[in-house]
Amino acid sequence: MAKIISLESRRAEHTERLRQQALAGFPWSELIEYVRVILNPVTSHLPVNKRWMVEESVYRLAYESFLLGIQASRKIYREARDGTEKSLWKERVEKDFRAEGDRLISQTAHDFQLFQILDEWLSQSVIVVMEDLMPRWLTRGVEYGLLLRKQRRI
């Protein structure tokens, strides 16, 4: 007798596997250095609890951008196999995923209530840092995703 396979459960399993691989390959040391050099001067005068919230929001944004990049690598990998020029993929990915990146930044700021806990100038400064961070980690995710795809691990 045939067994019914739920596509939703398969999709959830695949998403969880992808998240675990992203977590395993995430370059934490680079993000810690980025936070130390770029974010800490902006937030150094904040109380510890607010500084923690801002740092945590930046960590989440970096991870989600990295994961988005891994997902985007699928299209780049497929096009490269078909013989399409791949030298311009960074610019194309950043352009194609700009709206998704803006949504991620907005969602992260909302989830961590950055506009409520920070004054206007500081919240705008943090958003500028996030706008710099998102495409960097998106690109890093694509690079890692392409590596995994070449190794046939995803």
Side-chain angles (χ1 to χ4, degrees):
M1 182 161 254
K3 183 178 178 183
I4 297 175
I5 299 172
S6 168
L7 291 179
E8 288 302 315
S9 67
R10 289 281 211 182
R11 185 173 293 126
E13 289 171 9
H14 175 72
T15 301
E16 182 57 30
R17 254 191 337 270
L18 199 59
R19 291 185 77 79
Q20 290 300 319
Q21 286 185 323
L23 194 58
F26 191 83
W28 290 104
S29 59
E30 289 180 36
L31 182 58
I32 290 168
E33 182 66 16
Y34 182 89
V35 167
R36 187 184 68 75
V37 171
I38 305 294
L39 187 64
N40 285 351
V42 174
T43 61
S44 63
H45 68 283
L46 286 175
V48 174
N49 62 337
K50 288 184 180 182
R51 193 171 346 139
W52 179 84
M53 292 282 284
V54 172
E55 286 181 12
E56 190 65 30
S57 69
V58 167
Y59 285 134
R60 173 161 325 150
L61 178 65
Y63 174 73
E64 293 296 332
S65 298
F66 189 76
L67 183 61
L68 184 62
I70 292 173
Q71 294 166 344
S73 72
R74 181 179 193 175
K75 180 180 179 183
I76 302 298
Y77 185 75
R78 199 175 310 138
E79 289 174 356
R81 277 193 354 220
D82 295 340
T84 306
E85 180 66 34
K86 69 175 188 175
S87 63
L88 302 174
W89 69 262
K90 288 183 183 181
E91 294 83 13
R92 201 172 77 238
V93 165
E94 287 180 16
K95 188 184 85 173
D96 290 351
F97 286 89
R98 186 75 223 162
E100 183 68 19
D102 289 343
R103 188 198 63 73
L104 267 175
I105 291 169
S106 177
Q107 184 64 45
T108 303
H110 174 74
D111 289 349
F112 285 89
Q113 300 177 345
L114 296 181
F115 293 112
Q116 287 79 19
I117 65 169
L118 304 174
D119 64 43
E120 183 178 351
W121 287 104
L122 189 55
S123 64
Q124 289 305 316
S125 297
V126 171
I127 294 299
V128 167
V129 169
M130 288 178 156
E131 288 173 346
D132 174 65
L133 175 117
M134 193 285 301
R136 288 176 188 234
W137 291 96
L138 175 72
T139 302
R140 291 297 310 265
V142 172
E143 291 168 348
Y144 184 66
L146 289 172
L147 176 68
L148 291 177
R149 290 178 194 292
K150 285 179 186 175
Q151 295 173 348
R152 300 204 185 280
R153 291 176 46 199
I154 58 173

